[in-house]
Amino acid sequence: MKKTSTRLADGRELVYYDLRDDTVRDAVDRRPLERTVTTSEVRRDPLLGDSIAVASHRQGRTYHPPADQCPLCPSRGERLSEIPDSSYDVVVFENRFPSLAGDSGRCEVVCFTSDHDASFADLSEEQARLVLDAWTDRTSELSHLPSVEQVFCFENRGAEIGVTLGHPHGQIYAYPFTTPRTALMLRSLAAHKDATGGENLFDAVLAEELAGERVVLESEQWVAFVPYAAHWPYEVHLYPRRRVPDLLGLDEAARTEFPQVYLELLRRFDRIFGEGEPPTPYIAAWHQAPFGQLEEFDGVTRDDFALHLELFTIRRTSGKLKFLAGSESGMNVFINDVPPERAAERLREVASS
């Protein structure tokens, strides 16, 4: 992997990640952009104890542009985009309309391929490995920013999810706090460790799933399963067999095997609703240990946390979506219409031949 860092016309950082070491990236952003001004602000809810970001400048962000005006395609001729070069393998840049900025963190866009009509599932294993390396490098770089406590790499796919740009891409949020979902995991981890005399909750969950009926696929380095209390109609958690706190902890064996396993999972997601259905909308979310101090989570260290990816869709059956209505949105109590055991069975049925 070759990494080349440059700056866009308005001062934002852009980083190329290339498969070939001899690739030259010297294209200049020719757009007449003024320096980006953001109004991002983090506010803490005194009743719930969580934080929200107020980012009014995002109202003006690009919204469903036609393919020939996509800002994530390479720049060619007089058609100028966020990527100055005429081609790329993987590219990461600071979001022009960030939810978090400055002392409130940072938001980046990750473009998986220059092919506008592709998806992550269309990538080769070599390309998918390059994306993994880019996620890992960005996690490392962002973790050193003084305002950052947790790094979250994710992909939203599909208009049903709320995606406003059709080009295959994901995002990275670098939060100035530990996210509420991670804090819940850490509290459960601490309570289990105390109650069992030191047993790791993530290890216990993985062992239980391996012994059960919800495993979707497994390899020498990775295990994918539908969790016992899945929140979403089709939800898969992907764990490395060797527990590590973040992407930086993965060894070469796990990195080498990841593309094969993950691409297979994504392709199964596109097959679960049958032939002729539109691509399955999904969210793919990496959960990593915070880089800040964990004193509030009694006796828990970063090494107790288990890196894992959660992949889920809001489609519950052909032509029908799972909406977060009263119980989910009002009380955060999910009601799942698809039994996790049946979801796992279906995801095994649609395995590649």
Side-chain angles (χ1 to χ4, degrees):
M1 178 188 77
K2 181 181 180 182
K3 175 183 174 182
T4 306
S5 180
T6 184
R7 292 282 172 180
L8 296 173
D10 55 7
R12 289 175 293 133
E13 184 180 19
L14 180 143
V15 185
Y16 294 99
Y17 294 90
D18 286 294
L19 292 168
R20 292 174 55 95
D21 290 337
D22 59 353
T23 303
V24 177
R25 298 295 184 188
D26 56 7
V28 176
D29 185 2
R30 294 181 284 131
R31 298 172 297 170
L33 298 180
E34 296 181 358
R35 187 165 292 275
T36 300
V37 177
T38 63
T39 57
S40 179
E41 176 189 359
V42 172
R43 297 184 180 182
R44 186 169 180 81
D45 186 317
L47 294 180
L48 297 180
D50 59 6
S51 298
I52 63 102
V54 179
S56 59
H57 62 278
R58 285 174 54 79
Q59 288 280 34
R61 67 187 184 275
T62 308
Y63 187 80
H64 292 299
D68 62 357
Q69 297 177 32
C70 174
L72 306 185
C73 287
S75 292
R76 289 174 181 153
E78 295 307 308
R79 179 189 169 192
L80 306 179
S81 73
E82 289 281 70
I83 297 92
D85 216 325
S86 59
S87 66
Y88 64 83
D89 291 334
V90 173
V91 70
V92 179
F93 60 88
E94 288 184 74
N95 197 321
R96 190 177 179 186
F97 303 97
S99 301
L100 306 165
D103 293 339
S104 297
R106 176 158 156 156
C107 293
E108 298 184 339
V109 177
V110 184
C111 297
F112 304 139
T113 171
S114 60
D115 184 353
H116 180 85
D117 298 317
S119 70
F120 200 115
D122 296 322
L123 300 182
S124 68
E125 290 184 16
E126 184 180 38
Q127 290 173 308
R129 167 62 190 266
L130 184 62
V131 175
L132 175 64
D133 290 341
W135 282 331
T136 305
D137 181 73
R138 298 317 302 160
T139 296
S140 176
E141 292 289 333
L142 294 170
S143 71
H144 290 98
L145 297 180
S147 62
V148 171
E149 188 166 312
Q150 186 173 2
V151 178
F152 175 46
C153 307
F154 65 101
E155 179 192 2
N156 299 329
R157 206 269 291 262
E160 300 94 330
I161 296 293
V163 174
T164 58
L165 297 175
H167 196 103
H169 73 288
Q171 300 181 66
I172 302 176
Y173 277 22
Y175 298 102
F177 50 80
T178 296
T179 62
R181 189 173 176 86
T182 302
L184 285 173
M185 292 184 197
L186 291 169
R187 292 188 187 102
S188 296
L189 189 62
H192 185 84
K193 188 174 185 179
D194 180 63
T196 60
E199 182 182 62
N200 184 279
L201 178 58
F202 287 110
D203 293 349
V205 167
L206 184 57
E208 184 173 347
E209 294 293 354
L210 278 168
E213 58 181 315
R214 290 179 297 275
V215 172
V216 174
L217 64 86
E218 55 181 307
S219 65
E220 186 175 339
Q221 302 294 329
W222 296 87
V223 179
F225 59 88
V226 177
Y228 171 74
H231 289 56
W232 300 95
Y234 290 89
E235 175 181 340
V236 175
H237 293 191
L238 178 61
Y239 278 67
R241 288 185 186 268
R242 183 177 69 86
R243 173 166 44 89
V244 295
D246 51 41
L247 289 165
L248 283 72
L250 292 175
D251 60 20
E252 183 58 29
R255 292 180 183 280
T256 299
E257 202 175 80
F258 170 78
Q260 178 184 354
V261 174
Y262 186 50
L263 290 173
E264 172 62 16
L265 275 180
L266 292 181
R267 290 162 186 166
R268 291 190 193 189
F269 258 58
D270 274 341
R271 290 195 291 267
I272 51 180
F273 299 107
E275 295 292 331
E277 287 292 317
T280 301
Y282 66 73
I283 293 174
W286 281 109
H287 291 265
Q288 306 191 79
F291 288 95
Q293 300 299 314
L294 303 181
E295 286 92 348
E296 64 181 290
F297 308 103
D298 300 331
V300 170
T301 69
R302 291 193 78 250
D303 289 336
D304 291 321
F305 195 86
L307 166 76
H308 62 284
L309 182 142
E310 297 184 8
L311 173 68
F312 60 90
T313 180
I314 62 171
R315 186 179 292 164
R316 54 188 175 89
T317 189
S318 180
K320 297 179 181 178
L321 301 179
K322 165 66 177 177
F323 291 100
L324 299 190
S327 185
E328 291 90 353
S329 295
M331 283 294 165
N332 201 28
V333 178
F334 278 68
I335 300 169
N336 192 350
D337 300 322
V338 180
E341 293 73 22
R342 174 54 188 151
E345 181 182 26
R346 179 61 181 151
L347 285 162
R348 290 193 295 267
E349 289 174 351
V350 295
S352 298
S353 58

